[in-house]
Every structure is written in C-alpha cells, then in structure tokens.
Amino acid sequence: MPKVHFEGPSTGVRAVDADGGESLMQAAVRYGVTEIEARCGGALACGSCHVYLAEPWHQRVPPPSAAEREMLEYVLERRDNSRLACQIKIEGSLDGIVVHLPGAQAQ
Ligand code: FES
C-alpha cells in the first residue's frame, strides 16, 4: 500500500496507507484528515480538497486537466504546487508522497 504523508500547519504529520487507485482525497477522508473537506465528493465542483504537493512529488504526478486548473482559480492561497486532491490517483510510484495541507479551504 502506498504511504501518503499529510502535513498540516497545526496538526503535524499523519502517515496513512492508501489503497492503489483511490484518490488522495479519498485516502484523506477515510483517515479523518479534516483539513480536506471534499464537499463535492470528488466531482471537481468545490475546491475544498486543495493541497500543496511537496517536491519532487509535484513533478511526478500527471499535470492538472483544464477543468482542474479552472477550479484551482478559486482556491485560497493558490501556489505553483497547488492541486486538488480528488484529481490525483494514488499509484505505487507515489509511495511516500508528501502532501501539505492549507490553513483554510475555499468557502
Ligand atoms: Fe470537490 Fe475535489 S472534492 S473539487
């Protein structure tokens, strides 16, 4: 099982075991990572699963689709390494990925 490290500004690091094929958002919700709200359940309609991918992981995941880039326009504190966790599928090649959580999600 690929390991995912979620790092929150006030909650520290949580390492979770993701199921291959599930999204970063699904793994976060399953393990109670409350900073990822995922209000739309992965329908790419809310932006409340915003995360920052640490290097080198940001370069290793496929680039965002046009629809994800459009939704990223609405997140708070967007950065170059911003992504929506519901759009990133966990594969074995992402074992050990480090995901930083923003201090707040979009309203
Ligand atoms: Fe709503 Fe990702 S869960 S955009």
Side-chain angles (χ1 to χ4, degrees), residues 5-65:
H5 302 268
F6 291 103
E7 295 188 21
S10 59
T11 54
V13 180
R14 279 160 290 175
V16 307
D17 293 316
D19 290 334
E22 74 178 342
S23 70
L24 272 181
M25 177 276 281
Q26 289 169 319
V29 168
R30 194 157 53 82
Y31 281 96
V33 178
T34 56
E35 292 93 333
I36 295 181
E37 298 173 10
R39 288 183 222 128
C40 77
L44 201 49
C46 71
S48 67
C49 63
H50 176 215
V51 296
Y52 306 113
L53 299 186
E55 295 297 347
W57 307 105
H58 180 240
Q59 302 301 325
R60 292 186 186 174
V61 299
S65 66

Side-chain angles (χ1 to χ4, degrees), residues 8-9 47 49-53 71-84 100-107:
C49 63
H50 176 215
V51 296
Y52 306 113
L53 299 186
M71 184 56 64
L72 282 166
E73 296 290 327
Y74 299 98
V75 302
L76 300 176
E77 301 174 10
R78 181 166 49 94
R79 302 176 189 162
D80 289 345
N81 61 341
S82 287
R83 293 297 302 266
L84 296 179
H100 296 282
L101 303 167
Q105 293 287 0
Q107 297 300 311

